[in-house]
Amino acid sequence: MPCSYSADTMLSDQHSLHWLKLAANDTPETQRLLGAVDYGLYGDSTADCLVATPVLANFPVARTAWLGRGPVSSGTHGPLHYRHNDDLLFGYLRPESTTNDAGSVGLEQLSFDAYCAIFGLMTATGFPWLARCWNYIPHIHAMEEGLERYQQFNIGRQRAFRQAGQAYLDGAPAASALGTRSGTLGLYFIATRIQPLPIENPRQISAFRYPRRYGPCSPTFSRALLLPFDDLDALFISGTASIVGHESRHPGNASLQTAETLHNIDALVEQANRLARGGGFSSQALQFKAYVRHNSDRDGIAATVHGLLGQDADVTWLEADVCRSELLVEIEAFATRPVQGTPP
Ligand code: 3EB
């Protein structure tokens, strides 16, 4: 379908990974489409994957798409649907496979099963490295069998990593984990054939080493991760919040939490530039998704983001619950940089 983004799509022709932000119903050219994701509360999404987070701008749905080099093949594997090319595997949990949540199957088991399916698919298709995971957990703060559902998720996720022999400490994938207020467990991911370079934040304790007071089982993610493709370095910055060391900072103050979060992102960009072959990542040039807990905080958070990063900062605004109840905002980011010697 022709759309105003076709020029962008053409530019991405030779690139191993490209992220597009689209308007609702824009369909990128399918030859190189790895996955399209809609964010919003609409039942009529035609994307692969619909995430039930309201969008806090003027678009009812924020569609995003991951493109790689063609040709792409697709299939299903248990509860997953996937597409892959020679470099990348994109997969997501089919919503009809998780309707048991809040029914007979608990979230821990559902998360375990989902990640076991991911690792099984990676083996079957020959993609050994899980690089980036997006996790959307309905009613993330609700209690289930005496534990917060985010903790149930952490237990099931880590159990699957350990059973599959996947890195659950150093080398864990970059990730985001957000709460939704409707829908079923949502999960999509990218796996690779090249080994990612994990990045930690010197300002924060690694999440996989959080002390036990945050839950019986630590979250399984790296703060960021760099993918060294032959033509570009791709940087995935995990969901980042106002945490210094292991403690939440500035409870109750969304603007200060936002500034602290961007400080953490700056620190990750600095680490990434030490590893990146061409360097040159900058916080101003990242593509952001900001998850805001309360719609009423959005203007204050946006003023802080644009005050620190400039009016042109590229942000998709979504409403979601962040996994610690005192955290009011979580921000994730993506960017690519050409490798020195290759044209941009
Ligand atoms: C944090 O830094 C905030 O459990 O996969 C951010 C990104 C957070 C990913 C996850 C959790 C996760 O602990 C929460």
Side-chain angles (χ1 to χ4, degrees), residues 97-307:
S97 70
T98 60
T99 45
N100 275 331
D101 189 22
S104 49
V105 180
L107 182 62
E108 180 198 330
Q109 186 67 35
L110 212 55
S111 311
F112 175 76
D113 291 345
Y115 274 90
C116 286
I118 292 173
F119 297 133
L121 170 63
M122 287 164 53
T123 302
T125 49
F127 290 86
W129 307 100
L130 186 55
R132 183 61 168 101
C133 298
W134 288 265
N135 306 284
Y136 298 96
I137 301 164
H139 313 294
I140 194 166
H141 299 306
M143 299 296 280
E144 188 174 299
E145 290 169 23
L147 263 187
E148 195 182 38
R149 276 164 58 82
Y150 177 55
Q151 302 304 337
Q152 299 283 7
F153 166 79
N154 276 327
I155 294 170
R157 171 171 60 173
Q158 195 191 93
R159 192 155 59 87
F161 273 75
R162 295 171 82 139
Q163 179 173 296
Q166 283 276 331
Y168 68 98
L169 302 169
D170 295 283
S176 302
L178 284 307
T180 55
R181 294 161 204 174
S182 62
T184 55
L185 177 66
L187 207 170
Y188 67 97
F189 65 91
I190 290 172
T192 57
R193 291 190 167 136
I194 52 167
Q195 183 171 2
L197 306 171
I199 296 169
E200 289 300 303
N201 182 349
R203 303 183 80 237
Q204 297 183 304
I205 286 178
S206 295
F208 46 78
R209 300 195 196 282
Y210 279 161
R212 264 192 79 87
R213 68 183 241 216
Y214 298 103
C217 193
S218 295
T220 306
F221 69 98
S222 294
R223 296 296 181 186
L225 181 149
L226 194 76
L227 287 176
F229 291 107
D230 53 10
D231 56 334
L232 53 82
D233 286 318
L235 175 63
F236 288 107
I237 294 187
S238 291
T240 303
S242 177
I243 295 174
V244 179
H246 57 75
E247 282 171 346
S248 305
R249 289 283 168 91
H250 320 296
N253 189 324
S255 294
L256 287 180
Q257 286 196 15
T258 306
E260 197 74 73
T261 298
L262 293 179
H263 196 158
N264 280 329
I265 288 176
D266 283 341
L268 289 168
V269 166
E270 190 185 323
Q271 296 298 311
N273 280 331
R274 295 187 184 172
L275 291 176
R277 290 159 295 173
F281 286 105
S282 80
S283 295
Q284 283 76 11
L286 300 173
Q287 294 174 299
F288 295 98
K289 269 198 214 78
Y291 301 93
V292 173
R293 180 184 293 275
H294 304 298
N295 198 347
S296 53
D297 286 336
R298 189 254 175 197
D299 288 349
I301 292 171
T304 306
V305 167
H306 290 292

